[in-house]
Amino acid sequence: MNSSTYPSRSTPEPIALRVLSLLTVLGLIGIPSALVAWHHLRSPNLWFDESGQYWLAQGLHHFSPPNSQPGGWARIVEYGRVFNSDPGSFTLLLRGWTKVLGNSPVVLRSLPFLFFLLTPTVIFFAARRIGTNSLVASLAASAPLGFAILLHYATEIRAYSMESCGVTWFFFLSCWLRKETRWSRVIWMGIVAALLVTSRYSAFFYGAAACLTTLMPMRPLGAAVRRVLCFSIPCAMAAAAGFLIFARYQAGGTQRPPAYVEAFMLKGKTSAVMLAQFHDNFLSKEGLPIACFLILAPIFVWFGPRALSRLRTVVGRAAMFSLFAVTFAIVASLTGKLPWEIHTRWSIGYQALSACCLAMSVIAIGNCLALWATSLPWKALAAVATCGSVGVWAVRIEHTIHTERPYYETIASHLAKLAQSPAAKDIRFFVQSGASPTVRYLCEVGPLRGTYRYPENFHFETGAEEKGAKPIAAEDYDVVILTHFNISDGYLHRVVGGTVNIQLAPQPSCLLVLTK
C-alpha cells in the first residue's frame, strides 16, 4: 500500500481541517454530553434498580434493614445472585468507586457516564488509527449520541453504559489487533475484554463474536491461533467465572429469564410476530444501520478502492463481528435465553452495535471522499458532503436530547420539598416496599442524610404487610411514600381514620399525605 495515497496518523493536517474537527467534536459530542451531564448527572432521583445497585455494591440488598453494616465480597456474590441480573463486574467497580469518591448522586452517576464518554472516544481513536482524518473521525464518533436509548441510560447507575462501551471496543478491536505481533499487548486487550464482557450477560455474545473475529486472518495459522488464544482465554475465563459465581436467575430457582422479558423473546412466537420483531431489529430507524452495513460491507471489501486495503480489511472484520453478534442474539432469543428487541433497555448492546455500524459506514464513506478529492471540484464536493452530514446529524442529536426522558423515581424531589417544612423532623413515614432502597439511600448516605428523624420515624413495609394490605392509620403516619403514582389506588383504600392529599408533581412517584 502506498503511504502517499493513504496517510498515516502522523501526517500533518491543514489548520482549517483541525479547526473544523474541533468544532465538530464540540458541537456533536462535547455540548450534547455536557447537556446530558448537567441535567442528569446530579439527579438524586434514583429509581428502584439504581438504588438497589448501590446497595449491592455495599454488600447489602434492596430490603436490608436501616443502618445495616456493609457486607464483604461474599455478600456481594450472595445478594447479586438473587437481586441482580448482571455478572457483577459493574457492581465490583461501583464498590471501589464509592470507597474512593464517596456516595453522592454525582459520584454514583459519574461511573456509568464515564463509560458513556469512553464509547465515542474508542470510535474516534479507532478511526484515527486506520488513517481517517480527524473531521470524519469526529463525525463517526458522534454516532452513539444520536441513539435515544444510549443517551437515556448514560447516567443510570447500572451496567448499560458499560455494555455499550464493551460492544464498541469489540467492534473496533481489529483497528488495534490487526497483525499485532506483541503478544503481551494482545493479552492486555484480552484482559480489558474480560472486564467489559462481564458487564451484562448479553455482552457474552459480543465477547464470543470478538473472539471468533480475532481468528482472521487465518494465515499464518500459527500466529492466528496464538492471537486468538492470548485474547480469548482471559475473556472466556471471565465470562465463565461471572456466570458460575453469579449464576443468573437464582431468585425463583427456575434458571429462566424473568416474565417481564418474555414478550421480547422469539421463542414461542408465531411467524407473524417473529417477522414483526425482525422488522423492528433490522428495518426500524435504530436497526437500519446494522442491515445496511451487513449488506454493503461485503461490497466495499471486494470492490472498494485498492488504496484503502487497510480500511477494507477492518470493515470486513467488523462485518464478520456484526454477523456473529446478530446470529448469537437471534439464537439466544429463539431458545428463550435473552430478549432481542432494539427498543428496550435489555437490548442496549444491540443499539450500540447499530451505532458502531453507522460510525464505520461514516468512516468508509469519509475515507473514499478523501481519497477521491484530488482536484478542487472534488474537494469542494467532499467538503459540502461532510458539512452537510454534520448539520443533519447535529439536528438528529438535538432532537434526541429533547425527546429523551430518563426514567427516574421522583422520591428525592418530593422529600426535598417536604424537608422545607419546619416540622420535618416530626414527620412520620410509611414507606412502600418498592420505595425502600431509594429512601434508605437518600436518608442514610445520600443528600437527605440528617434531614429527617431516621430511622425512628420510618416504617418500611414488609412483604407480608404488602400482601395482606395492612391498614394505614392517619394517627400513625403522616406520609406514605409510593414508587409510582399509578399504584396509589391500591393504598388509598387502606387508609383509615383520615383523608388523603395526593402530591402529584413531579411524577412518576407520589406521596400520600395523611390528614385527620
Side-chain angles (χ1 to χ4, degrees):
M1 181 175 58
N2 188 347
S3 59
S4 64
T5 59
Y6 199 98
S8 66
R9 289 176 297 153
S10 60
T11 302
E13 293 183 342
I15 298 297
L17 184 60
R18 293 184 182 182
V19 172
L20 285 175
S21 303
L22 179 60
L23 293 176
T24 302
V25 170
L26 290 175
L28 297 186
I29 302 176
I31 294 176
S33 297
L35 289 174
V36 171
W38 176 259
H39 287 295
H40 307 312
L41 202 59
R42 300 174 300 165
S43 173
N45 286 302
L46 277 65
W47 75 292
F48 181 81
D49 280 1
E50 291 183 294
S51 50
Q53 179 71 73
Y54 167 80
W55 291 118
L56 287 175
Q58 310 311 311
L60 299 170
H61 62 78
H62 301 58
F63 308 109
S64 294
N67 293 328
S68 297
Q69 291 299 313
W73 301 109
R75 292 296 186 186
I76 292 178
V77 173
E78 176 186 353
Y79 296 140
R81 289 174 173 172
V82 178
F83 292 96
N84 204 357
S85 293
D86 294 330
S89 63
F90 182 81
T91 302
L92 301 182
L93 285 175
L94 184 60
R95 182 182 178 93
W97 193 260
T98 56
K99 285 288 185 182
V100 175
L101 300 175
N103 302 301
S104 67
V106 68
V107 167
L108 300 184
R109 296 197 186 281
S110 62
L111 179 59
F113 189 64
L114 174 61
F115 282 109
F116 172 76
L117 293 179
L118 284 174
T119 300
T121 302
V122 168
I123 297 175
F124 178 84
F125 284 105
R128 292 291 291 147
R129 188 172 180 84
I130 55 178
T132 307
N133 68 59
S134 55
L135 177 58
V136 175
S138 302
L139 180 57
S142 68
L145 282 81
F147 287 74
I149 285 186
L150 299 184
L151 276 182
H152 184 102
Y153 293 102
T155 57
E156 176 154 326
I157 311 168
R158 294 282 287 154
Y160 299 122
S161 288
M162 186 176 179
E163 183 188 16
S164 300
C165 182
V167 172
T168 306
W169 165 250
F170 294 139
F171 184 93
F172 288 95
L173 185 65
S174 59
C175 295
W176 285 275
L177 204 56
R178 180 181 180 271
K179 294 184 179 180
E180 180 61 63
T181 57
R182 289 167 289 186
W183 305 116
S184 59
R185 179 168 293 188
V186 178
I187 292 173
W188 275 111
M189 291 182 185
I191 293 173
V192 172
L195 175 67
L196 296 173
V197 81
T198 50
S199 57
R200 299 185 67 236
Y201 285 98
S202 50
F204 284 6
F205 301 125
Y206 299 101
C211 291
L212 289 175
T213 307
T214 58
L215 275 171
M216 298 178 287
M218 291 293 291
R219 293 180 294 180
L221 182 60
V225 171
R226 286 194 298 272
R227 182 173 60 248
V228 73
L229 289 178
C230 290
F231 177 83
S232 300
I233 288 177
C235 190
M237 289 176 61
F243 183 80
L244 294 175
I245 293 174
F246 285 89
R248 193 182 191 193
Y249 307 137
Q250 289 294 310
T254 60
Q255 294 295 313
R256 294 179 57 190
Y260 52 76
V261 300
E262 289 292 339
F264 308 111
M265 300 283 191
L266 288 173
K267 182 180 181 181
K269 300 296 190 299
T270 63
S271 298
V273 174
M274 285 186 178
L275 287 175
Q277 202 157 333
F278 270 82
H279 177 275
D280 286 344
N281 284 292
F282 288 115
L283 298 180
S284 64
K285 63 181 180 180
E286 291 86 0
L288 192 59
I290 297 177
C292 292
F293 184 71
L294 289 177
I295 294 172
L296 299 178
I299 299 175
F300 180 79
V301 170
W302 286 104
F303 302 106
R306 291 187 177 183
L308 300 181
S309 59
R310 184 177 171 189
L311 176 61
R312 288 162 57 193
T313 300
V314 171
V315 169
R317 293 181 187 178
M320 290 302 299
F321 169 83
S322 302
L323 183 61
F324 288 141
V326 170
T327 302
F328 291 153
I330 293 173
V331 171
S333 189
L334 284 170
T335 55
K337 299 299 182 183
L338 286 172
W340 184 53
E341 173 56 56
I342 197 167
H343 305 297
T344 65
R345 61 189 171 105
W346 299 289
S347 291
I348 197 167
Y350 198 74
Q351 284 240 5
L353 176 64
S354 186
C356 290
C357 289
L358 177 59
M360 186 60 86
S361 301
V362 171
I363 291 170
I365 295 172
N367 276 281
C368 288
L369 288 176
L371 180 65
W372 294 331
T374 55
S375 61
L376 184 60
W378 282 104
K379 288 181 179 180
L381 179 61
V384 170
T386 304
C387 293
S389 300
V390 170
V392 170
W393 195 241
V395 172
R396 167 67 180 176
I397 292 176
E398 190 271 343
H399 175 74
T400 300
I401 291 175
H402 281 83
T403 57
E404 179 267 340
R405 293 289 182 269
Y407 177 75
Y408 298 138
E409 305 285 15
T410 51
I411 294 174
S413 297
H414 285 298
L415 292 183
K417 183 178 180 180
L418 202 59
Q420 300 173 6
S421 169
K425 291 283 187 180
D426 298 323
I427 299 176
R428 301 159 301 169
F429 295 94
F430 181 95
V431 185
Q432 180 228 349
S433 60
S436 174
T438 300
V439 172
R440 285 175 41 236
Y441 164 75
L442 293 170
C443 296
E444 285 187 30
V445 298
L448 297 180
R449 183 179 182 181
T451 302
Y452 299 102
R453 187 170 285 115
Y454 178 90
E456 294 82 3
N457 284 8
F458 287 76
H459 176 80
F460 293 95
E461 184 179 30
T462 65
E465 291 173 342
E466 186 174 25
K467 185 177 181 181
K470 179 183 177 181
I472 304 171
E475 59 189 25
D476 296 327
Y477 306 105
D478 300 307
V479 174
V480 179
I481 304 176
L482 302 176
T483 51
H484 308 291
F485 173 70
N486 58 10
I487 63 174
S488 61
D489 290 343
Y491 284 80
L492 288 175
H493 77 277
R494 294 168 56 181
V495 177
V496 295
T499 59
V500 174
N501 173 27
I502 302 178
Q503 300 294 319
L504 294 177
Q507 290 193 32
S509 310
C510 75
L511 305 181
L512 301 182
V513 180
L514 309 183
T515 56
K516 295 181 182 180

